[in-house]
PDB file of all heavy atoms in Angstrom:
ATOM      1  N   GLY G  46      41.031-107.483   5.357  1.00  0.00           N
ATOM      2  CA  GLY G  46      40.238-106.901   4.283  1.00  0.00           C
ATOM      3  C   GLY G  46      38.813-106.599   4.712  1.00  0.00           C
ATOM      4  O   GLY G  46      38.221-105.600   4.296  1.00  0.00           O
ATOM      5  N   THR G  47      38.251-107.456   5.549  1.00  0.00           N
ATOM      6  CA  THR G  47      36.886-107.232   6.040  1.00  0.00           C
ATOM      7  C   THR G  47      36.805-105.923   6.817  1.00  0.00           C
ATOM      8  O   THR G  47      35.873-105.139   6.632  1.00  0.00           O
ATOM      9  CB  THR G  47      36.436-108.415   6.922  1.00  0.00           C
ATOM     10  OG1 THR G  47      36.380-109.590   6.108  1.00  0.00           O
ATOM     11  CG2 THR G  47      35.079-108.162   7.552  1.00  0.00           C
ATOM     12  N   GLU G  48      37.785-105.673   7.676  1.00  0.00           N
ATOM     13  CA  GLU G  48      37.789-104.418   8.418  1.00  0.00           C
ATOM     14  C   GLU G  48      37.909-103.224   7.473  1.00  0.00           C
ATOM     15  O   GLU G  48      37.241-102.201   7.659  1.00  0.00           O
ATOM     16  CB  GLU G  48      38.932-104.375   9.431  1.00  0.00           C
ATOM     17  CG  GLU G  48      38.918-103.100  10.252  1.00  0.00           C
ATOM     18  CD  GLU G  48      40.144-102.908  11.111  1.00  0.00           C
ATOM     19  OE1 GLU G  48      40.744-103.899  11.556  1.00  0.00           O
ATOM     20  OE2 GLU G  48      40.506-101.730  11.347  1.00  0.00           O
ATOM     21  N   ALA G  49      38.734-103.358   6.446  1.00  0.00           N
ATOM     22  CA  ALA G  49      38.882-102.270   5.477  1.00  0.00           C
ATOM     23  C   ALA G  49      37.554-101.979   4.784  1.00  0.00           C
ATOM     24  O   ALA G  49      37.169-100.815   4.624  1.00  0.00           O
ATOM     25  CB  ALA G  49      39.966-102.617   4.459  1.00  0.00           C
ATOM     26  N   ASP G  50      36.836-103.038   4.366  1.00  0.00           N
ATOM     27  CA  ASP G  50      35.524-102.849   3.729  1.00  0.00           C
ATOM     28  C   ASP G  50      34.549-102.188   4.687  1.00  0.00           C
ATOM     29  O   ASP G  50      33.854-101.231   4.334  1.00  0.00           O
ATOM     30  CB  ASP G  50      34.944-104.197   3.276  1.00  0.00           C
ATOM     31  CG  ASP G  50      35.636-104.789   2.070  1.00  0.00           C
ATOM     32  OD1 ASP G  50      36.322-104.049   1.330  1.00  0.00           O
ATOM     33  OD2 ASP G  50      35.489-106.012   1.849  1.00  0.00           O
ATOM     34  N   ASN G  51      34.472-102.707   5.911  1.00  0.00           N
ATOM     35  CA  ASN G  51      33.565-102.154   6.909  1.00  0.00           C
ATOM     36  C   ASN G  51      33.905-100.700   7.215  1.00  0.00           C
ATOM     37  O   ASN G  51      33.009 -99.861   7.352  1.00  0.00           O
ATOM     38  CB  ASN G  51      33.641-102.972   8.204  1.00  0.00           C
ATOM     39  CG  ASN G  51      32.782-104.213   8.184  1.00  0.00           C
ATOM     40  OD1 ASN G  51      31.968-104.416   9.080  1.00  0.00           O
ATOM     41  ND2 ASN G  51      32.958-105.060   7.196  1.00  0.00           N
ATOM     42  N   ALA G  52      35.195-100.403   7.336  1.00  0.00           N
ATOM     43  CA  ALA G  52      35.616 -99.034   7.635  1.00  0.00           C
ATOM     44  C   ALA G  52      35.198 -98.071   6.527  1.00  0.00           C
ATOM     45  O   ALA G  52      34.753 -96.954   6.802  1.00  0.00           O
ATOM     46  CB  ALA G  52      37.126 -98.983   7.843  1.00  0.00           C
ATOM     47  N   ALA G  53      35.333 -98.492   5.282  1.00  0.00           N
ATOM     48  CA  ALA G  53      34.941 -97.636   4.159  1.00  0.00           C
ATOM     49  C   ALA G  53      33.446 -97.353   4.185  1.00  0.00           C
ATOM     50  O   ALA G  53      33.015 -96.192   4.087  1.00  0.00           O
ATOM     51  CB  ALA G  53      35.340 -98.284   2.838  1.00  0.00           C
ATOM     52  N   ILE G  54      32.648 -98.398   4.334  1.00  0.00           N
ATOM     53  CA  ILE G  54      31.191 -98.245   4.232  1.00  0.00           C
ATOM     54  C   ILE G  54      30.605 -97.557   5.460  1.00  0.00           C
ATOM     55  O   ILE G  54      29.956 -96.512   5.350  1.00  0.00           O
ATOM     56  CB  ILE G  54      30.536 -99.609   3.971  1.00  0.00           C
ATOM     57  CG1 ILE G  54      30.963-100.090   2.581  1.00  0.00           C
ATOM     58  CG2 ILE G  54      29.017 -99.532   4.080  1.00  0.00           C
ATOM     59  CD1 ILE G  54      30.829-101.559   2.351  1.00  0.00           C
ATOM     60  N   ALA G  55      30.844 -98.123   6.628  1.00  0.00           N
ATOM     61  CA  ALA G  55      30.290 -97.523   7.847  1.00  0.00           C
ATOM     62  C   ALA G  55      30.886 -96.143   8.081  1.00  0.00           C
ATOM     63  O   ALA G  55      30.177 -95.216   8.475  1.00  0.00           O
ATOM     64  CB  ALA G  55      30.546 -98.434   9.046  1.00  0.00           C
ATOM     65  N   GLY G  56      32.184 -95.995   7.806  1.00  0.00           N
ATOM     66  CA  GLY G  56      32.834 -94.705   8.008  1.00  0.00           C
ATOM     67  C   GLY G  56      32.272 -93.607   7.130  1.00  0.00           C
ATOM     68  O   GLY G  56      32.096 -92.472   7.564  1.00  0.00           O
ATOM     69  N   ALA G  57      31.960 -93.943   5.868  1.00  0.00           N
ATOM     70  CA  ALA G  57      31.377 -92.950   4.956  1.00  0.00           C
ATOM     71  C   ALA G  57      29.958 -92.589   5.371  1.00  0.00           C
ATOM     72  O   ALA G  57      29.578 -91.414   5.381  1.00  0.00           O
ATOM     73  CB  ALA G  57      31.391 -93.475   3.527  1.00  0.00           C
ATOM     74  N   VAL G  58      29.163 -93.592   5.728  1.00  0.00           N
ATOM     75  CA  VAL G  58      27.773 -93.344   6.126  1.00  0.00           C
ATOM     76  C   VAL G  58      27.726 -92.522   7.407  1.00  0.00           C
ATOM     77  O   VAL G  58      26.966 -91.560   7.507  1.00  0.00           O
ATOM     78  CB  VAL G  58      27.003 -94.674   6.269  1.00  0.00           C
ATOM     79  CG1 VAL G  58      25.659 -94.464   6.947  1.00  0.00           C
ATOM     80  CG2 VAL G  58      26.816 -95.315   4.896  1.00  0.00           C
ATOM     81  N   HIS G  59      28.561 -92.870   8.384  1.00  0.00           N
ATOM     82  CA  HIS G  59      28.547 -92.128   9.645  1.00  0.00           C
ATOM     83  C   HIS G  59      29.059 -90.707   9.483  1.00  0.00           C
ATOM     84  O   HIS G  59      28.587 -89.798  10.150  1.00  0.00           O
ATOM     85  CB  HIS G  59      29.344 -92.876  10.714  1.00  0.00           C
ATOM     86  CG  HIS G  59      28.659 -94.116  11.159  1.00  0.00           C
ATOM     87  ND1 HIS G  59      29.292 -95.323  11.234  1.00  0.00           N
ATOM     88  CD2 HIS G  59      27.376 -94.355  11.516  1.00  0.00           C
ATOM     89  CE1 HIS G  59      28.432 -96.247  11.627  1.00  0.00           C
ATOM     90  NE2 HIS G  59      27.268 -95.675  11.801  1.00  0.00           N
ATOM     91  N   ARG G  60      30.010 -90.506   8.601  1.00  0.00           N
ATOM     92  CA  ARG G  60      30.558 -89.158   8.398  1.00  0.00           C
ATOM     93  C   ARG G  60      29.595 -88.274   7.602  1.00  0.00           C
ATOM     94  O   ARG G  60      29.429 -87.097   7.896  1.00  0.00           O
ATOM     95  CB  ARG G  60      31.894 -89.220   7.691  1.00  0.00           C
ATOM     96  CG  ARG G  60      32.507 -87.860   7.471  1.00  0.00           C
ATOM     97  CD  ARG G  60      34.006 -87.944   7.456  1.00  0.00           C
ATOM     98  NE  ARG G  60      34.590 -86.640   7.492  1.00  0.00           N
ATOM     99  CZ  ARG G  60      35.325 -86.189   8.480  1.00  0.00           C
ATOM    100  NH1 ARG G  60      35.553 -86.944   9.523  1.00  0.00           N
ATOM    101  NH2 ARG G  60      35.851 -85.006   8.435  1.00  0.00           N
ATOM    102  N   CYS G  61      28.977 -88.856   6.561  1.00  0.00           N
ATOM    103  CA  CYS G  61      28.153 -88.062   5.640  1.00  0.00           C
ATOM    104  C   CYS G  61      26.660 -88.153   5.936  1.00  0.00           C
ATOM    105  O   CYS G  61      25.893 -87.336   5.438  1.00  0.00           O
ATOM    106  CB  CYS G  61      28.408 -88.507   4.202  1.00  0.00           C
ATOM    107  SG  CYS G  61      30.126 -88.388   3.711  1.00  0.00           S
ATOM    108  N   GLY G  62      26.239 -89.175   6.673  1.00  0.00           N
ATOM    109  CA  GLY G  62      24.827 -89.322   6.984  1.00  0.00           C
ATOM    110  C   GLY G  62      23.991 -89.837   5.840  1.00  0.00           C
ATOM    111  O   GLY G  62      22.775 -89.859   5.928  1.00  0.00           O
ATOM    112  N   GLY G  63      24.599 -90.275   4.760  1.00  0.00           N
ATOM    113  CA  GLY G  63      23.841 -90.741   3.606  1.00  0.00           C
ATOM    114  C   GLY G  63      23.671 -92.240   3.572  1.00  0.00           C
ATOM    115  O   GLY G  63      23.878 -92.947   4.552  1.00  0.00           O
ATOM    116  N   ARG G  64      23.327 -92.723   2.413  1.00  0.00           N
ATOM    117  CA  ARG G  64      23.007 -94.125   2.182  1.00  0.00           C
ATOM    118  C   ARG G  64      24.163 -94.825   1.485  1.00  0.00           C
ATOM    119  O   ARG G  64      24.912 -94.213   0.739  1.00  0.00           O
ATOM    120  CB  ARG G  64      21.761 -94.138   1.270  1.00  0.00           C
ATOM    121  CG  ARG G  64      20.990 -95.394   1.198  1.00  0.00           C
ATOM    122  CD  ARG G  64      19.603 -95.168   0.558  1.00  0.00           C
ATOM    123  NE  ARG G  64      19.586 -94.245  -0.548  1.00  0.00           N
ATOM    124  CZ  ARG G  64      19.679 -94.591  -1.843  1.00  0.00           C
ATOM    125  NH1 ARG G  64      19.814 -95.850  -2.185  1.00  0.00           N
ATOM    126  NH2 ARG G  64      19.637 -93.669  -2.786  1.00  0.00           N
ATOM    127  N   ALA G  65      24.293 -96.128   1.718  1.00  0.00           N
ATOM    128  CA  ALA G  65      25.277 -96.958   1.030  1.00  0.00           C
ATOM    129  C   ALA G  65      24.568 -97.794  -0.028  1.00  0.00           C
ATOM    130  O   ALA G  65      23.415 -98.189   0.152  1.00  0.00           O
ATOM    131  CB  ALA G  65      25.991 -97.874   2.017  1.00  0.00           C
ATOM    132  N   VAL G  66      25.263 -98.074  -1.137  1.00  0.00           N
ATOM    133  CA  VAL G  66      24.699 -98.867  -2.237  1.00  0.00           C
ATOM    134  C   VAL G  66      25.748 -99.873  -2.677  1.00  0.00           C
ATOM    135  O   VAL G  66      26.936 -99.540  -2.783  1.00  0.00           O
ATOM    136  CB  VAL G  66      24.313 -97.963  -3.440  1.00  0.00           C
ATOM    137  CG1 VAL G  66      23.796 -98.788  -4.607  1.00  0.00           C
ATOM    138  CG2 VAL G  66      23.285 -96.916  -3.016  1.00  0.00           C
ATOM    139  N   CYS G  67      25.314-101.110  -2.953  1.00  0.00           N
ATOM    140  CA  CYS G  67      26.215-102.131  -3.493  1.00  0.00           C
ATOM    141  C   CYS G  67      25.416-103.143  -4.310  1.00  0.00           C
ATOM    142  O   CYS G  67      24.205-103.260  -4.145  1.00  0.00           O
ATOM    143  CB  CYS G  67      26.997-102.835  -2.385  1.00  0.00           C
ATOM    144  SG  CYS G  67      26.058-104.061  -1.456  1.00  0.00           S
ATOM    145  N   PRO G  68      26.092-103.902  -5.183  1.00  0.00           N
ATOM    146  CA  PRO G  68      25.434-104.989  -5.907  1.00  0.00           C
ATOM    147  C   PRO G  68      25.184-106.195  -5.000  1.00  0.00           C
ATOM    148  O   PRO G  68      25.864-106.376  -3.978  1.00  0.00           O
ATOM    149  CB  PRO G  68      26.431-105.358  -7.007  1.00  0.00           C
ATOM    150  CG  PRO G  68      27.379-104.224  -7.089  1.00  0.00           C
ATOM    151  CD  PRO G  68      27.415-103.624  -5.717  1.00  0.00           C
ATOM    152  N   ALA G  69      24.269-107.051  -5.414  1.00  0.00           N
ATOM    153  CA  ALA G  69      23.862-108.208  -4.622  1.00  0.00           C
ATOM    154  C   ALA G  69      24.937-109.278  -4.502  1.00  0.00           C
ATOM    155  O   ALA G  69      24.856-110.122  -3.617  1.00  0.00           O
ATOM    156  CB  ALA G  69      22.595-108.821  -5.227  1.00  0.00           C
ATOM    157  N   VAL G  70      25.960-109.277  -5.348  1.00  0.00           N
ATOM    158  CA  VAL G  70      26.970-110.340  -5.324  1.00  0.00           C
ATOM    159  C   VAL G  70      28.246-109.941  -4.595  1.00  0.00           C
ATOM    160  O   VAL G  70      29.252-110.628  -4.694  1.00  0.00           O
ATOM    161  CB  VAL G  70      27.330-110.817  -6.751  1.00  0.00           C
ATOM    162  CG1 VAL G  70      26.130-111.433  -7.436  1.00  0.00           C
ATOM    163  CG2 VAL G  70      27.901-109.675  -7.574  1.00  0.00           C
ATOM    164  N   GLU G  71      28.212-108.883  -3.833  1.00  0.00           N
ATOM    165  CA  GLU G  71      29.409-108.450  -3.105  1.00  0.00           C
ATOM    166  C   GLU G  71      29.809-109.482  -2.059  1.00  0.00           C
ATOM    167  O   GLU G  71      28.981-110.243  -1.559  1.00  0.00           O
ATOM    168  CB  GLU G  71      29.158-107.111  -2.413  1.00  0.00           C
ATOM    169  CG  GLU G  71      29.035-105.949  -3.339  1.00  0.00           C
ATOM    170  CD  GLU G  71      30.291-105.671  -4.130  1.00  0.00           C
ATOM    171  OE1 GLU G  71      31.363-105.482  -3.527  1.00  0.00           O
ATOM    172  OE2 GLU G  71      30.196-105.628  -5.365  1.00  0.00           O
ATOM    173  N   HIS G  72      31.080-109.475  -1.699  1.00  0.00           N
ATOM    174  CA  HIS G  72      31.558-110.275  -0.577  1.00  0.00           C
ATOM    175  C   HIS G  72      30.761-109.850   0.655  1.00  0.00           C
ATOM    176  O   HIS G  72      30.370-108.693   0.783  1.00  0.00           O
ATOM    177  CB  HIS G  72      33.055-110.009  -0.373  1.00  0.00           C
ATOM    178  CG  HIS G  72      33.682-110.893   0.642  1.00  0.00           C
ATOM    179  ND1 HIS G  72      33.579-110.645   1.989  1.00  0.00           N
ATOM    180  CD2 HIS G  72      34.411-112.027   0.505  1.00  0.00           C
ATOM    181  CE1 HIS G  72      34.226-111.583   2.649  1.00  0.00           C
ATOM    182  NE2 HIS G  72      34.751-112.438   1.770  1.00  0.00           N
ATOM    183  N   HIS G  73      30.522-110.774   1.567  1.00  0.00           N
ATOM    184  CA  HIS G  73      29.714-110.452   2.736  1.00  0.00           C
ATOM    185  C   HIS G  73      30.298-109.328   3.579  1.00  0.00           C
ATOM    186  O   HIS G  73      29.565-108.655   4.311  1.00  0.00           O
ATOM    187  CB  HIS G  73      29.493-111.700   3.586  1.00  0.00           C
ATOM    188  CG  HIS G  73      28.517-112.635   2.966  1.00  0.00           C
ATOM    189  ND1 HIS G  73      28.526-113.976   3.202  1.00  0.00           N
ATOM    190  CD2 HIS G  73      27.506-112.436   2.086  1.00  0.00           C
ATOM    191  CE1 HIS G  73      27.569-114.557   2.514  1.00  0.00           C
ATOM    192  NE2 HIS G  73      26.935-113.640   1.823  1.00  0.00           N
ATOM    193  N   ALA G  74      31.588-109.092   3.490  1.00  0.00           N
ATOM    194  CA  ALA G  74      32.195-107.979   4.217  1.00  0.00           C
ATOM    195  C   ALA G  74      31.608-106.650   3.764  1.00  0.00           C
ATOM    196  O   ALA G  74      31.505-105.704   4.548  1.00  0.00           O
ATOM    197  CB  ALA G  74      33.710-107.971   4.031  1.00  0.00           C
ATOM    198  N   VAL G  75      31.215-106.565   2.505  1.00  0.00           N
ATOM    199  CA  VAL G  75      30.563-105.369   1.962  1.00  0.00           C
ATOM    200  C   VAL G  75      29.053-105.488   2.098  1.00  0.00           C
ATOM    201  O   VAL G  75      28.391-104.589   2.622  1.00  0.00           O
ATOM    202  CB  VAL G  75      30.957-105.148   0.483  1.00  0.00           C
ATOM    203  CG1 VAL G  75      30.080-104.078  -0.164  1.00  0.00           C
ATOM    204  CG2 VAL G  75      32.426-104.768   0.380  1.00  0.00           C
ATOM    205  N   LEU G  76      28.497-106.594   1.636  1.00  0.00           N
ATOM    206  CA  LEU G  76      27.044-106.771   1.619  1.00  0.00           C
ATOM    207  C   LEU G  76      26.443-106.599   3.017  1.00  0.00           C
ATOM    208  O   LEU G  76      25.476-105.854   3.199  1.00  0.00           O
ATOM    209  CB  LEU G  76      26.700-108.150   1.046  1.00  0.00           C
ATOM    210  CG  LEU G  76      25.227-108.448   0.837  1.00  0.00           C
ATOM    211  CD1 LEU G  76      24.612-107.480  -0.166  1.00  0.00           C
ATOM    212  CD2 LEU G  76      25.046-109.888   0.364  1.00  0.00           C
ATOM    213  N   HIS G  77      27.018-107.266   4.001  1.00  0.00           N
ATOM    214  CA  HIS G  77      26.473-107.151   5.353  1.00  0.00           C
ATOM    215  C   HIS G  77      26.694-105.766   5.943  1.00  0.00           C
ATOM    216  O   HIS G  77      25.847-105.279   6.714  1.00  0.00           O
ATOM    217  CB  HIS G  77      27.069-108.230   6.255  1.00  0.00           C
ATOM    218  CG  HIS G  77      26.607-109.610   5.900  1.00  0.00           C
ATOM    219  ND1 HIS G  77      27.139-110.727   6.474  1.00  0.00           N
ATOM    220  CD2 HIS G  77      25.679-110.060   5.026  1.00  0.00           C
ATOM    221  CE1 HIS G  77      26.562-111.808   5.978  1.00  0.00           C
ATOM    222  NE2 HIS G  77      25.676-111.416   5.069  1.00  0.00           N
ATOM    223  N   ALA G  78      27.792-105.118   5.593  1.00  0.00           N
ATOM    224  CA  ALA G  78      28.016-103.746   6.063  1.00  0.00           C
ATOM    225  C   ALA G  78      26.971-102.797   5.476  1.00  0.00           C
ATOM    226  O   ALA G  78      26.447-101.930   6.183  1.00  0.00           O
ATOM    227  CB  ALA G  78      29.426-103.279   5.704  1.00  0.00           C
ATOM    228  N   VAL G  79      26.641-102.970   4.201  1.00  0.00           N
ATOM    229  CA  VAL G  79      25.609-102.137   3.561  1.00  0.00           C
ATOM    230  C   VAL G  79      24.246-102.417   4.183  1.00  0.00           C
ATOM    231  O   VAL G  79      23.483-101.492   4.490  1.00  0.00           O
ATOM    232  CB  VAL G  79      25.604-102.351   2.033  1.00  0.00           C
ATOM    233  CG1 VAL G  79      24.377-101.713   1.393  1.00  0.00           C
ATOM    234  CG2 VAL G  79      26.884-101.794   1.418  1.00  0.00           C
ATOM    235  N   GLU G  80      23.934-103.682   4.393  1.00  0.00           N
ATOM    236  CA  GLU G  80      22.655-104.036   5.022  1.00  0.00           C
ATOM    237  C   GLU G  80      22.566-103.484   6.438  1.00  0.00           C
ATOM    238  O   GLU G  80      21.512-103.018   6.867  1.00  0.00           O
ATOM    239  CB  GLU G  80      22.469-105.548   5.019  1.00  0.00           C
ATOM    240  CG  GLU G  80      22.236-106.105   3.621  1.00  0.00           C
ATOM    241  CD  GLU G  80      22.295-107.623   3.552  1.00  0.00           C
ATOM    242  OE1 GLU G  80      22.827-108.271   4.498  1.00  0.00           O
ATOM    243  OE2 GLU G  80      21.805-108.172   2.549  1.00  0.00           O
TER     244      GLU G  80
END
Side-chain angles (χ1 to χ4, degrees):
T47 296
E48 182 189 330
D50 287 341
N51 277 234
I54 293 159
V58 168
H59 290 131
R60 181 151 191 115
C61 303
R64 198 165 39 94
V66 177
C67 77
V70 297
E71 290 297 304
H72 187 279
H73 286 154
V75 169
L76 186 62
H77 291 172
V79 169
E80 291 170 343

